[in-house]
Amino acid sequence: VLTAPVNVVVIEDKSGTWGHGQTEFRKELGRPKIVSTQELERGPLVNITRQVSRWKSSEIWMDVVRYKHTPLIELRFRINWQEHREIVKLEIPTRLKQTRLVAKTAGGVTVRKANGEEYPCQDWIALEGTLGRKPVTVGLVNNSSYSCDAKDGALRMILVRGVPYAEHPPFEYKDDACVKFTDQGWQERRFWLIAGPGSREDLGLERAAQEWQLPATHLFDSGHPGTLPWEDSFLSVEPSNVSVLALKSAEDGKGTVLRLQEMAG
């Protein structure tokens, strides 16, 4: 599905803090230079490869994590960003044609044109298109990045953005050295990348986003035999496009209330 490895690109950003009036971020300044590639772990369950890149005074670590039990590929970023008026975007170049951008938005799902314009998003984004006349989708699940674009088969997501705090045209800061900038220093971002035949519904992006952002909680206890089984399920719901929002006792004490939401439209 991909035409090249997943990578990052640096984009110029002369807009204010909130990007008012800015419809796209497309002026490329270059791509960080890869200075090292290292295999951190290779085992029966997990393989991890780290790629370190540099751009001016900044450094970008990208860990690619592959698991045996799932086709999902995890992307872990640690970025020491020191630049001003510049954006770092994650870029996923694909072979898809006739594409459209689909994004999880507040309370629903929104379909966008893959024309390079910048759009807000939430838990996941998907690039739907065709490959050899067959429908194929590339999905990206995230937990801390909320702005994306797509064009010419490439899917992009903002990782860090170095703009001044509280700058709003026409009141621009004339001397950048005297103000603080966003996303300076070490930043961390994490994603799940998945691709497959069909549409976004076939990838189960909504369920994957819930698993990614709300992992099972655990607590440590002293050693004892215990009374519970190793595995247990208190509630299961199918198909994967149905989400559980709440489970509670009825107000009159007679029965249980289960609130569901269909998430795929």
Side-chain angles (χ1 to χ4, degrees):
V1 176
L2 302 186
T3 59
V6 173
N7 213 324
V8 295
V9 58
V10 180
I11 309 290
E12 181 182 83
D13 182 6
K14 297 296 186 181
S15 64
T17 308
W18 296 275
H20 289 166
Q22 194 79 17
T23 59
E24 62 181 29
F25 297 106
R26 302 293 303 181
K27 186 176 180 180
E28 294 188 19
L29 299 178
R31 295 173 184 267
K33 181 181 179 181
I34 300 174
V35 296
S36 68
T37 301
Q38 178 185 6
E39 187 175 70
L40 299 183
E41 184 173 345
R42 176 173 290 276
L45 299 179
V46 179
N47 294 334
I48 304 177
T49 302
R50 173 170 294 171
Q51 176 181 290
V52 178
S53 304
R54 290 200 176 98
W55 173 266
K56 298 181 181 178
S57 300
S58 302
E59 189 169 78
I60 301 169
W61 300 2
M62 180 176 71
D63 291 355
V64 180
V65 186
R66 295 178 175 87
Y67 300 98
K68 181 181 179 180
H69 69 281
T70 175
L72 291 167
I73 296 177
E74 184 176 340
L75 303 175
R76 301 174 183 170
F77 287 91
R78 290 199 72 218
I79 303 173
N80 184 6
W81 193 242
Q82 302 295 331
E83 316 310 326
H84 295 172
R85 308 286 181 176
E86 295 178 2
I87 287 174
V88 179
K89 281 200 171 191
L90 167 64
E91 182 180 76
I92 304 168
T94 78
R95 298 164 54 202
L96 299 185
K97 305 297 183 182
Q98 299 176 327
T99 57
R100 66 176 187 173
L101 177 63
V102 187
K104 173 66 182 296
T105 52
V109 174
T110 304
V111 178
R112 311 283 195 182
K113 293 181 179 180
N115 58 2
E117 291 190 17
E118 197 72 20
Y119 293 113
C121 60
Q122 290 190 340
D123 303 342
W124 57 264
I125 56 176
L127 188 66
E128 295 183 336
T130 59
L131 187 60
R133 297 184 179 181
K134 294 182 179 180
V136 174
T137 300
V138 175
L140 189 68
V141 179
N142 85 93
N143 65 354
S144 57
S145 297
Y146 305 104
S147 187
C148 63
D149 78 86
K151 189 176 183 180
D152 298 330
L155 185 62
R156 288 178 171 181
M157 174 78 79
I158 288 182
L159 297 177
V160 294
R161 182 167 176 252
V163 294
Y165 280 101
E167 181 186 52
H168 191 294
F171 304 104
E172 293 91 355
Y173 294 114
K174 302 303 180 183
D175 185 358
D176 285 352
C178 297
V179 299
K180 291 184 177 181
F181 278 71
T182 63
D183 292 341
Q184 300 294 286
W186 284 103
Q187 311 286 324
E188 294 189 3
R189 305 288 186 268
R190 297 173 68 193
F191 303 91
W192 274 352
L193 176 63
I194 185 173
S199 66
R200 65 187 183 277
E201 293 96 335
D202 298 307
L203 293 185
L205 294 176
E206 188 65 37
R207 181 62 58 87
Q210 291 187 14
E211 295 174 358
W212 182 231
Q213 298 186 7
L214 299 171
T217 58
H218 65 277
L219 55 89
F220 288 99
D221 198 356
S222 58
H224 59 80
T227 59
L228 298 177
W230 282 104
E231 296 180 353
D232 205 349
S233 176
F234 301 97
L235 178 65
S236 62
V237 177
E238 293 182 347
S240 61
N241 59 300
V242 178
S243 176
V244 177
L245 299 185
L247 176 64
K248 64 179 182 178
S249 298
E251 293 182 0
D252 59 4
K254 300 177 181 179
T256 303
V257 177
L258 178 64
R259 186 180 298 276
L260 305 175
Q261 182 177 7
E262 197 284 319
M263 303 300 294

